[in-house]
Amino acid sequence: MELKQLMTTMGGLTVHYARAGHGAPLLYLHGMLGLTSLDEAFVRLAESFDVIAPCAPGWGPAKDDLSRMDQGPLDLTLHTLDILDDLGLERVHVAGTSIGAWMAAELAAIAPQRVDRLVLVNPVGLWLEEAQGEDPFAVHPGMPSELLFTSPEQRKKHVFEGRDKVDAHVSELLDLRASAKFLWPIPDTGISKRLPRIKAPTLVVTCDKDRVVPSAHGPAWQRAIRHAELTTLSGVGHVPEMEQPGRLATLITQFLVERRVAAVA
Amino acid sequence: MAETDAEAKRLYEKHARYFFSRCLHVYPGFADAPGYRTEATIRAGLTTQMAGQSSALNQAAALSWEEMVERGYIVAGGVDSVIEQMEKLARGLKCGHLVCLLHFGDMPTELCRYSSELFATRVIPKVRNIWGEYTDHWSPKPMAKEERTVPRDPSRGAFTALEDARPALQVATGGR
């Protein structure tokens, strides 16, 4: 995926982002492993939308910007608003996966007038005593992101294939470091009290093999957001954008276009 | 420590093995919280791993007793060879203060006492003066008598202690 660059006027940060396709603008916010291996889902979404996928501060080429962000949602959200302003986008669809879904929800809660429709895939940020996910940061250092995938082979394929082994492993660890800044030690971001502010029609997607955000989180997100639908993808874990990009892209497209989806996809 | 190398191996090998194979275990999830190491450190560690090297202490579990001693994972043996190993350490590392952990693994109390006593009576006198020509600036020494605090008489009780502190408290709060 080819990355473009812009410098935000207000924040003064360099943003590396992918942009392709035609149609309504769709801001795509990546998960814990950055834009790694988003290729296929991105291409599929670009068939129906003008997709903008920025690398968040702390991830990938923006790894050194992590220290510019406070731990809470404010800096990240302002940064995302800066990107929209600099691209001249007043109102967009927003889709996010994992930590990106948390950022998307914050954006929709803090600046509801900027978000048309919202898709949250395996969103982190709620803490449910009765449905605790596994800790994505207490992991074996030799296979740090394994928990996110349905099998060790899936991780090997998506993290290492076609890349230098050391570089891939280092960026895997750095991407998790960025996620940990916002989610460690307990992934409770305080968003539960801001969710009622979201006005955008929202689709919440959970995955039945997700060990980080158990499917049981789905109904909690749905209840807290005014206009929310919930659907569950079967047979996939925390990173459906990598393991089943086609299915996820279809689901996102269907909701953004028709505003409704089947409860089980 | 024992009288001979063979005796040391007989007495201590199983306890050293217990230490290296069981006491150094860390749950892998606690080994490396994200963000704990810099990128340069991560990279250096990966490069070392890929070259087939490892600095992990528990590598010693796979070694023979003789290799453990030879490679310096432990200092052990008969009196003469322990003196030799200690001297090699002190001179090789150019250090005048060695901190010795005389107990490891599941070594029983009596055995540890026996070993410690041999170390104290037969080894320390031989190595104490390795750097004898230098002044020791670093070993802790007792405080001068007039600087020491006199322990409070416990029979006077806690409230009396507060009474004693009152003048100091008044100074700190400007007399209020």
Side-chain angles (χ1 to χ4, degrees):
Chain A
M1 194 181 341
E2 202 183 317
L3 294 183
K4 306 174 203 290
Q5 282 186 30
L6 68 82
M7 179 170 304
T8 57
T9 311
M10 297 300 284
L13 287 181
T14 302
V15 182
H16 303 260
Y17 68 102
R19 184 171 190 177
H22 299 283
L26 165 61
L27 178 68
Y28 178 93
L29 301 178
H30 63 69
M32 291 195 201
L33 296 180
L35 288 178
T36 310
S37 179
L38 176 66
D39 304 42
E40 200 180 329
F42 181 81
V43 170
R44 289 289 305 276
L45 289 169
E47 289 167 8
S48 313
F49 304 97
D50 169 15
V51 190
I52 301 111
C55 228
W59 278 264
K63 63 185 182 195
D64 295 330
D65 291 337
L66 189 62
S67 58
R68 299 278 298 268
M69 298 290 114
D70 278 351
Q71 282 172 311
L74 188 58
D75 285 345
L76 281 171
T77 307
L78 291 174
H79 175 73
T80 313
L81 287 169
D82 285 351
I83 296 173
L84 294 182
D85 288 344
D86 282 311
L87 291 174
L89 298 166
E90 189 48 43
R91 195 170 159 86
V92 292
H93 293 316
V94 183
T97 60
S98 177
I99 192 170
W102 165 60
M103 295 180 206
E106 294 284 10
L107 178 70
I110 295 170
Q113 72 285 4
R114 306 295 292 269
V115 179
D116 196 349
R117 288 178 189 170
L118 178 66
V119 181
L120 309 174
V121 183
N122 297 332
V124 295
L126 287 190
W127 177 256
L128 301 181
E129 206 61 41
E130 67 282 7
Q132 300 176 19
E134 290 179 51
D135 185 344
F137 310 118
V139 289
H140 193 297
M143 37 200 151
S145 71
E146 198 167 282
L147 184 64
L148 311 185
F149 295 89
T150 47
S151 71
E153 292 69 36
Q154 285 285 340
R155 167 178 166 266
K156 281 192 191 126
K157 179 179 162 201
H158 291 287
V159 174
F160 293 108
E161 222 168 76
R163 303 172 73 191
D164 173 81
K165 212 171 167 205
V166 170
D167 286 345
H169 195 85
V170 169
S171 55
E172 181 187 21
L173 285 165
L174 290 179
D175 288 345
L176 285 171
R177 170 194 73 160
S179 306
K181 168 149 188 174
F182 303 100
L183 302 176
W184 191 88
I186 305 286
D188 181 351
T189 58
I191 188 148
S192 60
K193 45 185 189 295
R194 293 183 287 275
L195 289 179
R197 294 173 178 273
I198 295 177
K199 289 187 181 135
T202 302
L203 172 67
V204 178
V205 182
T206 56
C207 295
D208 70 347
K209 298 266 187 263
D210 190 343
R211 289 147 72 188
V212 178
V213 179
S215 300
H217 281 222
W221 285 85
Q222 188 189 25
R223 272 195 306 276
I225 299 171
R226 231 178 287 180
H227 310 289
E229 293 203 38
L230 173 63
T231 191
T232 301
L233 283 175
S234 57
V236 62
H238 193 62
V239 285
E241 72 277 25
M242 294 185 189
E243 294 193 359
Q244 302 208 2
R247 258 172 99 197
L248 184 69
T250 305
L251 193 62
I252 294 174
T253 306
Q254 192 190 0
F255 177 78
L256 294 180
V257 174
E258 299 167 22
R259 237 198 104 168
R260 53 182 303 136
V261 290
V264 178
Chain B
M1 285 225 43
E3 290 294 343
T4 65
D5 286 354
E7 177 73 349
K9 175 176 177 168
R10 189 181 70 80
L11 288 174
Y12 302 108
E13 180 174 3
K14 61 173 185 279
H15 306 303
R17 235 166 250 302
Y18 182 99
F19 174 75
F20 285 115
S21 53
R22 301 189 63 173
C23 298
L24 296 177
H25 176 74
V26 176
Y27 168 61
F30 294 159
D32 189 30
Y36 216 70
R37 295 183 299 162
T38 63
E39 181 175 351
T41 309
I42 294 171
R43 233 170 238 287
L46 284 172
T47 315
T48 313
Q49 266 176 32
M50 293 198 177
Q53 301 163 20
S54 175
S55 57
L57 262 180
N58 55 12
Q59 293 284 305
L63 301 178
S64 71
W65 168 261
E66 287 74 13
E67 285 169 324
M68 279 186 208
V69 176
E70 176 64 31
R71 298 194 196 176
Y73 282 99
I74 54 173
V75 171
V79 174
D80 291 340
S81 62
V82 169
I83 292 172
E84 194 183 307
Q85 290 167 58
M86 293 295 287
E87 184 150 3
K88 195 173 148 198
L89 273 175
R91 292 197 188 280
L93 296 169
K94 292 195 180 353
C95 74
H97 294 82
L98 287 166
V99 177
C100 306
L101 304 175
L102 297 171
H103 180 273
F104 51 78
D106 56 348
M107 191 193 298
T109 314
E110 282 313 311
L111 188 56
C112 184
R113 190 164 295 163
Y114 166 72
S115 175
S116 306
E117 198 159 328
L118 279 179
F119 189 78
T121 56
R122 312 270 294 275
V123 177
I124 291 180
K126 299 282 187 188
V127 298
R128 195 188 286 285
N129 288 315
I130 289 177
W131 302 112
E133 69 273 31
Y134 291 91
T135 311
D136 177 3
H137 299 288
W138 298 282
S139 287
K141 294 179 184 65
M143 271 177 141
K145 252 210 168 90
E146 59 276 15
E147 286 174 34
R148 295 181 211 172
T149 309
V150 183
R152 187 174 58 81
D153 175 5
S155 65
R156 291 172 63 206
F159 287 106
T160 333
L162 196 62
E163 289 295 315
D164 291 348
R166 186 146 295 164
L169 283 173
Q170 276 169 353
V171 171
T173 57
R176 284 187 297 278

